[in-house]
Amino acid sequence: MSASSDKTRVLTGITTTGTPHLGNYVGAIKPAITASQDPSVQSYYFLADLHALIKCQDPKRVQQSRLEIAATWLALGLDTDNAIFYRQSDIPEIAELNWMLSCVCSKGLMNRAHAYKAAVAENEETGSPDPDRGITMGLFGYPVLMAADILMFNADKVPVGRDQVQHIEMARDMGGRFNHLFKGQYFSQPDAVVDERVQVLNGLDGRKMSKSYENTIPLFVSEKKLLKLVRKIKTNSLEPGEPKDPDTCTLFQIYSAFASVEDAAAMRVEYANGIGWGEAKNRLFEQLNAQLSEPRERYQALLEDPGHIEQVLRQGAERARAEAAPVMDRLREAVGLGRFV
Ligand code: TRP
């Protein structure tokens, strides 16, 4: 099954350093799985495990996260006959393209990358004599590797969060520069897609749900743990019977991201009628649990069968490499690294 060229090519990567949480599901996984069911789309979804090494030098965590993220996407119904699902590290062509792009990418462009700038700013704030303290070449060149991910498969659309838009623009820049230098149409220009309708969920403390704030609800914790976490979501001190505002309420926000439109509307009425926080939390737990219990079982079964996950990812890598290898041959030729005969 090869990707036909008239389909829109949608590509995105997931950095493998954490455990997927409700916010990842609502903001990225669910829309990606839905998009991959569109017959006019060929999707490329991959575990950005080379990117994981930038932030994480804990091999157990990287390995565990790769397994958990793969199991999560499969448990939630990603159709891997349709989507091409692979590990970045299984595609050596990506690392090779990373180098070729590094050699056309100006250092000045990377100086402007926000992840690098944020790291420098932090060093300056803490009064470090060396602004580059603790900054690796991996972090500095992170947008080049991301450009290699994207340009390797000539992606048309790259669904990402707002913070990643700059990197897509940099990928366009590098692709265009390569085309210009080597006088050919080697790379097309990818577009970032930031879906404003996709919800950014809040976490336990009311801030954006994020691993770095340690305020997440992991997707597939046990029922007991899920209930415990839902009970920890911060609410105000209004008593049962007092009307409550759903629009400023994390509980309601999470509820409505999982409930049907009708159930969410009914919950609004309950808020106006003064539902107590304990009761609202029970309802949220029930809603989440109803939707997550089946995939949770599939997830557990998958984790117990890593051989199956390995096989699925290898098949994905085979399909991805079938596309990447001829592209790389052409690029080697272009830069003067082709075969002699
Ligand atoms: N850097 C992205 C993130 O942190 C993950 C990623 C790596 C990615 N390579 C990509 C996303 C290519 C889109 C396309 O979210």
Side-chain angles (χ1 to χ4, degrees):
M1 225 170 312
S2 74
S4 62
S5 53
D6 52 345
K7 292 190 181 191
T8 303
R9 304 158 75 86
V10 175
L11 175 145
T12 200
I14 315 105
T15 307
T16 53
T17 46
T19 298
H21 55 69
L22 299 185
N24 296 140
Y25 174 63
V26 170
I29 308 174
K30 195 174 169 204
I33 292 179
T34 305
S36 76
Q37 287 155 355
D38 180 341
S40 68
V41 163
Q42 174 60 58
S43 37
Y44 298 80
Y45 298 147
F46 65 95
L47 306 175
D49 51 0
L50 296 176
H51 276 104
L53 302 185
I54 296 169
K55 298 186 233 171
C56 185
Q57 267 119 29
D58 175 351
K60 285 210 184 78
R61 175 143 159 240
V62 173
Q63 185 68 305
Q64 182 65 18
S65 173
R66 297 192 320 156
L67 195 62
E68 286 178 359
I69 292 174
T72 298
W73 284 65
L74 297 175
L76 291 168
L78 179 69
D79 177 352
T80 53
D81 287 335
N82 186 5
I84 303 183
F85 187 52
Y86 54 97
R87 282 176 295 219
Q88 184 187 31
S89 63
D90 278 342
I91 319 295
E93 289 82 3
I94 292 175
E96 188 177 355
L97 180 54
N98 176 55
W99 181 250
M100 286 197 186
L101 294 175
S102 286
C103 295
V104 303
C105 176
S106 72
K107 174 175 175 289
L109 187 68
M110 294 298 96
N111 287 342
R112 294 193 285 280
H114 64 61
Y116 170 66
K117 274 174 50 178
V120 171
E122 200 182 316
N123 280 334
E124 279 164 354
E125 270 162 39
T126 55
S128 165
D130 176 9
D132 283 327
R133 191 181 148 185
I135 298 173
T136 62
M137 287 306 293
L139 177 68
F140 186 64
Y142 153 23
V144 184
L145 180 56
M146 199 162 146
D149 292 330
I150 295 167
L151 298 176
M152 184 84 257
F153 298 101
N154 271 310
D156 300 304
K157 294 194 183 323
V158 186
V160 282
R162 209 151 257 310
D163 61 318
Q164 297 289 320
V165 172
Q166 183 195 39
H167 299 146
I168 317 301
E169 280 159 10
M170 289 175 162
R172 295 166 67 96
D173 196 304
M174 286 176 235
R177 179 135 184 84
F178 190 100
N179 288 346
H180 174 75
L181 277 168
F182 298 105
K183 302 182 180 57
Q185 190 51 44
Y186 297 98
F187 300 117
S188 56
Q189 296 271 285
D191 283 312
V193 183
V194 181
D195 190 341
E196 302 294 351
R197 291 163 312 172
V198 164
Q199 264 189 310
V200 178
L201 280 198
N202 290 339
L204 299 176
D205 58 358
R207 290 186 293 171
K208 176 187 166 187
M209 191 180 287
S210 160
K211 188 177 47 186
S212 40
Y213 294 149
E214 293 180 12
N215 64 354
T216 70
I217 302 180
L219 258 180
F220 295 134
V221 285
S222 68
E223 227 166 79
K224 215 170 130 198
K225 187 86 208 278
L226 182 61
L227 179 60
K228 213 171 138 194
L229 286 169
V230 167
R231 290 207 196 288
K232 272 174 102 173
I233 296 172
K234 200 168 131 194
T235 51
N236 58 29
S237 54
L238 291 172
E239 298 288 337
E242 293 185 86
K244 299 175 176 67
D245 178 12
D247 295 315
T248 55
C249 178
T250 298
L251 268 186
F252 180 78
Q253 192 215 25
I254 301 178
Y255 183 88
S256 58
F258 283 83
S260 64
V261 177
E262 294 76 31
D263 284 351
M267 185 58 98
R268 260 184 192 281
V269 176
E270 301 265 19
Y271 267 62
N273 293 341
I275 188 174
W277 289 131
E279 179 57 20
K281 286 181 174 179
N282 287 341
R283 300 276 191 88
L284 172 59
F285 165 74
E286 272 152 29
Q287 184 64 246
L288 289 173
N289 200 45
Q291 296 201 29
L292 296 176
S293 56
E294 271 182 29
R296 183 197 293 131
E297 275 179 31
R298 284 196 292 270
Y299 175 77
Q300 291 305 346
L302 281 158
L303 284 186
E304 277 162 31
D305 189 4
H308 174 71
I309 300 178
E310 181 67 31
Q311 189 197 336
V312 168
L313 291 170
R314 283 200 197 174
Q315 274 164 7
E318 225 171 274
R319 289 169 72 193
R321 290 194 73 191
E323 293 190 26
V327 171
M328 245 9 260
D329 283 344
R330 181 164 176 243
L331 297 177
R332 278 190 215 111
E333 196 79 47
V335 299
L337 300 178
R339 295 174 192 278
F340 289 134
V341 286

